[in-house]
Amino acid sequence: TSVRAVTQAAGTSVSAANYHFGSKEEMLGAAIRMRAEPLNRRRLEALEAVERTGGESPTRVEAIVGAFVRPVFELRAAGVPEDAAYRGLAARLYLDTQESVAQIRREIFEPVHDRFCEALHEAIPGASRSEIDLALQLAVAVLVHLLSRDVSTLATGGGMDPEELVSRLVAFAAAGICAVVRVDPSSESNGAQGTAS
């Protein structure tokens, strides 16, 4: 879309947009940052809480995944309801291969992604960093797919409340991560440490 179309929808001028952002890419980056920074902060706080619990448990991976997934739904529940157009845009931004968009994604989300990869690497001894990275990317893809749809409709259509749907998503993603790195999530012998969130 054009900057003019964006500014008309926002009720402002092209010159004001250029003054504040400089380019359409910078405007997009600012919009994503505004949305992502509270999510990134909440994710890292949740991960720190998981890491403080200590102890030994085979549910450590699930706790880490919960710290990554649950904040998305908590912020949605606390915010403005999203329509289908917004959900479609979020999914499109994740999938867009244009370098300017990919660069924005890397800048905003990669540090948090790397932090969760580190936590999972510690929780799954013997797994390589590349396996962990792939596993987390696949889990994120499932999350993006789910977020591109109306979660409340999915939950009620399946006869469960939204919290139950989120719990199942966390369990599914954690099991998927363990499968990618060839770890039995139900085995105490995998050496995973921590407790569930």
Side-chain angles (χ1 to χ4, degrees), residues 54-61 123-125 178 183-196:
E56 205 167 299
S57 169
T59 58
R60 175 86 167 167
V61 172
I124 311 175
C178 290
V183 172
D184 179 358
S186 65
S187 171
E188 289 284 354
S189 64
N190 66 23
Q193 296 181 348
T195 58

Side-chain angles (χ1 to χ4, degrees), residues 16-161:
N18 287 335
Y19 174 79
H20 287 288
F21 301 106
S23 70
K24 186 166 54 176
E25 288 75 19
E26 287 298 320
M27 188 188 309
L28 176 62
I32 297 173
R33 273 185 216 94
M34 184 177 70
R35 191 80 181 192
E37 284 172 0
L39 172 61
N40 284 342
R41 187 167 51 250
R42 192 172 290 204
R43 278 175 163 164
L44 292 173
E45 288 168 356
L47 179 59
E48 286 167 9
V50 169
E51 291 176 331
R52 282 195 303 269
T53 59
E56 205 167 299
S57 169
T59 58
R60 175 86 167 167
V61 172
E62 191 165 324
I64 294 168
V65 173
F68 188 85
V69 169
R70 289 185 183 282
V72 178
F73 294 93
E74 291 168 356
L75 288 173
R76 272 189 157 198
V80 178
E82 298 162 356
D83 61 16
Y86 178 84
R87 291 192 299 273
L89 175 62
R92 183 174 172 183
L93 287 172
Y94 175 76
L95 297 169
D96 199 315
T97 57
Q98 187 172 318
E99 179 53 32
S100 59
V101 177
Q103 178 59 38
I104 292 167
R105 271 199 315 270
R106 285 192 295 269
E107 176 193 325
I108 295 171
F109 293 108
E110 203 167 88
V112 174
H113 176 90
D114 288 348
R115 181 70 181 81
F116 274 84
C117 279
E118 289 168 14
L120 287 167
H121 193 256
E122 289 177 14
I124 311 175
S128 71
R129 180 56 190 260
S130 60
E131 286 177 320
I132 294 290
D133 184 66
L134 172 63
L136 187 55
Q137 285 189 53
L138 293 172
V140 169
V142 171
L143 177 61
V144 169
H145 169 73
L146 190 60
L147 292 176
S148 69
R149 306 179 66 188
D150 185 343
V151 177
S152 62
T153 301
L154 281 173
T156 54
M160 68 183 82
D161 62 36

